[in-house]
Amino acid sequence: MSVEVGRVDEIPVGEGRTFAVGEEQIAIFRLRDGSLRAIDAVCPHRGGPLADGLADDRVVVCPLHGHTFDMCTGTEVSGAEMSVRSYPIEVVDGTIRITA
């Protein structure tokens, strides 16, 4: 099932924003190449806001304690036993849709 979450132009290039999807909070990142990534918005370690973290084309770093998550798979890349969910994402006429 695909859910509309917002417009691409709501997210500046190189940044992330949090969107509510049902009872879930999802962080969507607009990468410098214009592509989008979507993961859970809350770090499982201590609830850090992942949309506020530093992101490159592959990973986002939690702004609270530095845990680093692969935005394609959701795995924590430094070896910590935690992960977040990643979501398939598409853009239709400027509207962001995710499959939850």
Side-chain angles (χ1 to χ4, degrees):
M1 179 173 121
S2 181
V3 178
E4 290 184 9
V5 295
R7 307 262 321 147
V8 171
D9 55 16
E10 294 177 55
I11 308 169
V13 173
E15 294 185 22
R17 293 291 183 268
T18 298
F19 294 87
V21 178
E23 295 186 21
E24 302 292 324
Q25 295 290 312
I26 298 176
I28 300 178
F29 297 88
R30 186 174 178 192
L31 306 181
R32 296 196 191 289
D33 68 2
S35 64
L36 300 173
R37 302 282 185 274
I39 60 172
D40 288 332
V42 179
C43 179
H45 176 241
R46 292 257 175 113
L50 293 178
D52 294 342
L54 295 175
D56 64 13
D57 64 338
R58 185 78 182 174
V59 300
V60 60
V61 179
C62 178
L64 294 185
H65 299 101
H67 289 287
T68 304
F69 297 92
D70 183 306
M71 290 189 287
C72 293
T73 66
T75 57
E76 206 284 340
V77 298
S78 69
E81 294 290 321
M82 68 177 83
S83 64
V84 294
R85 182 174 173 193
S86 62
Y87 298 87
I89 191 167
E90 66 180 349
V91 177
V92 178
D93 295 326
T95 299
I96 302 167
R97 297 177 154 271
I98 63 165
T99 304

